[in-house]
Amino acid sequence: MAETPKSNLQLVAAKAGVSVSSVSRVLNGGSASEDLARKVREAAAELGYVPHASARTMRTGRTDQITLAVADVGNPVYVQMMRTVTGIVAKAGYRLVVSSTGSDPASQIDLVTSLNRGYADGLLMSPLRITEDLVEAMKSSRLPIVVIGTLPADVELDNVRADSATGIGLAVEHLVAQGRRRIALVNGPVDTVPGSARLAGYLAAIERYGLPTSSELQVTATAFTYRAGRKATAALLGQASPDAIIGANDLLAVAALKELAAAGVRVPRDTAVVGMDDTDAAELATPSLTSVDLGSAKRAKAAAKLLIRRIQEPDAPVSRIVIPPALSIRESTGGPA
Amino acid sequence: MAETPKSNLQLVAAKAGVSVSSVSRVLNGGSASEDLARKVREAAAELGYVPHASARTMRTGRTDQITLAVADVGNPVYVQMMRTVTGIVAKAGYRLVVSSTGSDPASQIDLVTSLNRGYADGLLMSPLRITEDLVEAMKSSRLPIVVIGTLPADVELDNVRADSATGIGLAVEHLVAQGRRRIALVNGPVDTVPGSARLAGYLAAIERYGLPTSSELQVTATAFTYRAGRKATAALLGQASPDAIIGANDLLAVAALKELAAAGVRVPRDTAVVGMDDTDAAELATPSLTSVDLGSAKRAKAAAKLLIRRIQEPDAPVSRIVIPPALSIRESTGGPA
DNA sequence: AACGTTCTTAAGAACGTTCCCAAACCCCTC
DNA sequence: GAGGGGTTTGGGAACGTTCTTAAGAACGTT
């Protein structure tokens, strides 16, 4: 390989015949005579000088990195968030470090404490499960953290949340308007933040419309994944015959679509299906999937901006932002092809 | 917030009543008397000491970070790679920095040179387009780079490549065995590495089986995305009536499925469809998608291991690994439901 | 009791940068 | 031509860690 020699300020200074501090000044846009600036720039270019990130961090305390922690890089809703956040963060001059934590609270606590190691200026996280310990760790962090998702009311941390309850309300309203009455829920684990929120929203909406609230219409997948969704839907179909199914996220809903197709049930004629998150997967499904847009892209965008603001103004008041849901109607509930 | 005080070795040393170097020694597992070790550990725990990453990097030259550069975080094949790499890399004690470069060569060159800033110990990249400049930049990098994808033969860099040509051969063989003869290709941009490889593989296979090689059977999408795939397939159907379509990746193939459905063409009865990459999207599609497994997970795994090895032994001989393809047969070519 | 050996601890340099502060220089005015 | 202001440049400390080197303590040997 055509080795680029390792270079530093000192070498550049020597080559240009000036002092180290002058090189630093020129390269960081400080005031300098034209002659000096030219010499420095030439020497730097010739040596292929690039500043050493850690050394700079040490001196300035800034890393120009932001960490995004997600439970599962394979979940399309996180993919959507990553895509959005990458853009925002890059525009503000930060690099994005993506960390896949799994759903385990312990590894998330690790992540939060390791933030104090100083390899990021801030943390963006969307925890699936929130424990007291995690909240404690987040509160005592020296570096800013913005949570994408719901937090207990008394926690003084910036956060951007969805409104699952209203979102499910939209789905139920839409289904009821089409004459559906036996509306089932294929949920993810209820000990997770989205899982519990969606169950509560479902129950509230069902009651509001005076629909049957049989426990046979509620099943819980072991995870928010396609595979778990297939199993849960199979169990559901074995114990009830719903005329509509709401999946707690798009993957579960797509799984329901596939399981219904395998069972010979026609969608939407016999059973309508609604997903949540309105990810790419909803559009790609066949039939395309009506889905509750919980604003994941907007949430990610708002959270990233919030974090960047807080890094710049650590003492700004705590913000809590709620992104309102919307319904994207597609074929799986009789919408346009 | 319950501020954790900022702590460093000096504070811990003062609290324990010992020297800074002793604290460092104890915490890094060097030899020390039991008494000293105990005092140090107590003081460290009490202050909630965590070592400062950049300071350590400065001294040791290691960052414990590995960067993975992908063109598009939304492409399921990259998602698959990310998932695999995250695991391998974490097990070896590295954090993963994911960088979304887009398909622009300039930003990839930026990335390579910025590697010399020293915020990662190595780079894993899967470039869509390879230019001379990019190759030059990669060759002159001081830090190890492993390329996932095909490189010009004379480039002395570790790389792990797929065998698209053989992969397409498998697809064509499978289709021909079912009596298909008008086999179309929905390709991505041909100025990309996968795009050109797939076109070449397609042409070779078509010729090998003595099939008609009409240019009307070949269309090129503007990108490897669903949306571009819909347009390209629509154009294809306007100019030819293929009895099979090969998509250059799963997203293009899913787009073809949807476009065929919209046109009232039955899959696989009228037209069979094959994708490439064998991602989650293939299984989730309806009908489920036969797909050429180009070993993306295996490639990512091999590349990550190669990079870790090279970081540890910079002078190891250059490795070129080829992962053989396989065919996952599903409903879209008449496979099992 | 003096000396050598081994083990434990401490002092201090170094990594590459930024930035405060002081030195050097230039130009103008009296 | 000496004094003053302003601008340009350089010296050197500091960030927090690791690691080399050396000093000191403890112990055994002659």
Side-chain angles (χ1 to χ4, degrees):
Chain A
M1 307 187 199
E3 286 293 328
T4 298
K6 166 177 181 139
S7 72
N8 56 28
L9 279 186
Q10 197 173 312
L11 290 175
V12 176
K15 180 153 203 114
V18 299
S19 75
V20 169
S21 29
S22 291
V23 178
S24 174
R25 205 156 8 84
V26 169
L27 264 30
N28 290 301
S31 70
S33 72
E34 209 150 305
D35 184 50
L36 181 79
R38 190 187 42 75
K39 278 192 292 186
V40 167
R41 268 186 253 281
E42 274 173 11
E46 207 160 331
L47 290 173
Y49 170 75
V50 273
H52 191 283
S54 295
R56 174 176 279 170
T57 293
M58 259 209 71
R59 183 64 232 236
T60 62
R62 303 178 41 227
T63 63
D64 298 329
Q65 290 196 154
I66 283 179
T67 297
L68 170 66
V70 300
D72 173 19
V73 286
N75 186 327
V77 71
Y78 293 126
V79 170
Q80 206 163 41
M81 288 184 180
M82 279 178 50
R83 205 185 297 164
T84 313
V85 168
T86 307
I88 303 280
V89 143
K91 210 171 297 171
Y94 292 91
R95 283 182 306 286
L96 185 66
V97 181
V98 174
S99 174
S100 186
T101 60
S103 63
D104 179 24
S107 66
Q108 297 188 337
I109 292 175
D110 273 359
L111 187 74
V112 171
T113 60
S114 80
L115 191 56
N116 286 329
R117 292 188 126 87
Y119 41 74
D121 296 339
L123 175 63
L124 227 39
M125 70 187 314
S126 182
L128 261 187
R129 293 170 224 266
I130 294 191
T131 61
E132 294 240 339
D133 286 350
L134 178 57
V135 168
E136 205 44 55
M138 291 193 297
K139 281 200 298 191
S140 64
S141 166
R142 270 191 316 109
L143 275 76
I145 297 178
V146 174
V147 174
I148 306 176
T150 302
L151 277 176
D154 59 324
V155 180
E156 292 275 312
L157 280 173
D158 291 312
N159 83 337
V160 182
R161 59 186 70 187
D163 184 352
S164 292
T166 303
I168 293 208
L170 291 177
V172 171
E173 179 187 5
H174 172 61
L175 292 169
V176 166
Q178 301 190 333
R180 314 279 174 172
R181 289 190 52 80
R182 295 189 311 285
I183 302 177
L185 174 68
V186 176
N187 200 4
V190 285
D191 62 339
T192 61
V193 174
S196 67
R198 280 152 209 199
L199 178 58
Y202 167 80
L203 293 174
I206 291 298
E207 184 164 3
R208 190 163 51 222
Y209 288 96
L211 300 175
T213 150
S214 148
S215 69
E216 278 146 26
L217 287 173
Q218 301 161 33
V219 289
T220 302
T222 55
F224 284 99
T225 61
Y226 173 75
R227 227 152 271 244
R230 288 293 296 255
K231 273 200 200 129
T233 308
L236 171 68
L237 297 181
Q239 70 194 27
S241 14
D243 56 14
I245 296 179
I246 298 176
N249 76 0
D250 282 346
L251 284 179
L252 295 176
V254 170
L257 281 179
K258 298 282 285 187
E259 196 63 36
L260 287 168
V265 179
R266 288 162 301 179
V267 176
R269 177 192 276 253
D270 302 332
T271 301
V273 178
V274 178
M276 301 192 81
D277 286 338
D278 197 22
T279 60
D280 291 349
E283 193 176 352
L284 268 58
T286 304
S288 61
L289 184 65
T290 293
S291 189
V292 178
D293 179 2
L294 291 173
S296 40
K298 283 184 190 164
R299 270 184 292 154
K301 187 172 175 177
K305 289 190 165 176
L306 221 50
L307 181 61
I308 289 166
R309 197 198 57 175
R310 176 151 310 277
I311 289 172
Q312 286 159 358
E313 307 171 39
D315 298 323
V318 170
S319 293
R320 288 198 189 79
I321 298 178
V322 179
I323 303 291
L327 191 65
S328 297
I329 298 173
R330 299 199 183 83
E331 295 165 355
S332 69
T333 59
Chain B
M1 309 189 199
E3 286 295 327
T4 299
K6 167 178 181 137
S7 73
N8 57 26
L9 278 186
Q10 197 174 315
L11 289 175
V12 176
K15 179 150 203 123
V18 299
S19 76
V20 169
S21 32
S22 292
V23 177
S24 174
R25 203 157 11 83
V26 170
L27 264 29
N28 290 303
S31 71
S33 72
E34 207 150 309
D35 184 49
L36 182 80
R38 190 185 43 73
K39 277 192 293 187
V40 167
R41 266 185 252 282
E42 275 174 10
E46 207 160 331
L47 291 173
Y49 170 75
V50 275
H52 190 282
S54 297
R56 173 176 281 169
T57 293
M58 260 238 343
R59 183 62 231 236
T60 61
R62 303 176 43 225
T63 63
D64 298 328
Q65 290 196 154
I66 283 179
T67 296
L68 171 66
V70 299
D72 172 18
V73 285
N75 187 328
V77 72
Y78 294 127
V79 169
Q80 206 163 41
M81 288 184 181
M82 279 179 50
R83 207 186 293 162
T84 314
V85 169
T86 307
I88 304 279
V89 142
K91 210 172 295 170
Y94 292 92
R95 283 182 307 284
L96 185 67
V97 181
V98 174
S99 176
S100 186
T101 60
S103 61
D104 178 25
S107 66
Q108 298 186 339
I109 293 174
D110 274 359
L111 187 74
V112 171
T113 58
S114 80
L115 232 206
N116 287 328
R117 293 189 125 84
Y119 43 73
D121 297 340
L123 174 64
L124 227 40
M125 70 185 317
S126 183
L128 260 187
R129 295 171 223 265
I130 294 191
T131 61
E132 293 240 339
D133 287 349
L134 179 56
V135 168
E136 206 42 57
M138 291 193 297
K139 281 200 295 192
S140 64
S141 167
R142 272 190 313 109
L143 275 75
I145 298 179
V146 174
V147 173
I148 307 176
T150 302
L151 278 176
D154 58 324
V155 180
E156 293 274 314
L157 280 173
D158 294 312
N159 83 337
V160 182
R161 58 185 72 186
D163 184 352
S164 292
T166 304
I168 294 208
L170 292 178
V172 172
E173 180 187 6
H174 172 61
L175 292 169
V176 166
Q178 300 189 335
R180 314 277 174 173
R181 288 189 52 81
R182 295 188 311 284
I183 302 178
L185 174 68
V186 176
N187 200 4
V190 285
D191 62 339
T192 61
V193 174
S196 68
R198 280 153 212 197
L199 178 59
Y202 166 81
L203 292 175
I206 291 297
E207 183 164 4
R208 190 164 52 224
Y209 288 97
L211 299 175
T213 151
S214 147
S215 70
E216 278 145 26
L217 287 172
Q218 302 160 31
V219 289
T220 302
T222 55
F224 285 99
T225 60
Y226 173 75
R227 226 152 274 242
R230 287 292 296 257
K231 273 198 203 129
T233 308
L236 172 67
L237 297 182
Q239 70 193 30
S241 18
D243 56 13
I245 297 178
I246 298 176
N249 76 359
D250 283 345
L251 284 179
L252 294 176
V254 169
L257 282 180
K258 298 280 286 186
E259 196 64 36
L260 287 168
V265 178
R266 289 162 300 177
V267 176
R269 177 192 277 252
D270 302 331
T271 302
V273 178
V274 179
M276 300 193 81
D277 287 339
D278 198 20
T279 59
D280 290 349
E283 193 177 353
L284 269 56
T286 302
S288 60
L289 185 66
T290 293
S291 189
V292 178
D293 179 2
L294 291 173
S296 41
K298 282 183 190 162
R299 270 184 292 155
K301 186 173 174 174
K305 288 190 165 174
L306 220 51
L307 181 60
I308 290 167
R309 198 199 58 174
R310 174 146 317 270
I311 290 172
Q312 287 159 359
E313 307 170 38
D315 298 323
V318 170
S319 293
R320 287 198 189 79
I321 298 178
V322 179
I323 303 291
L327 191 63
S328 298
I329 299 173
R330 300 202 182 82
E331 296 164 356
S332 69
T333 59

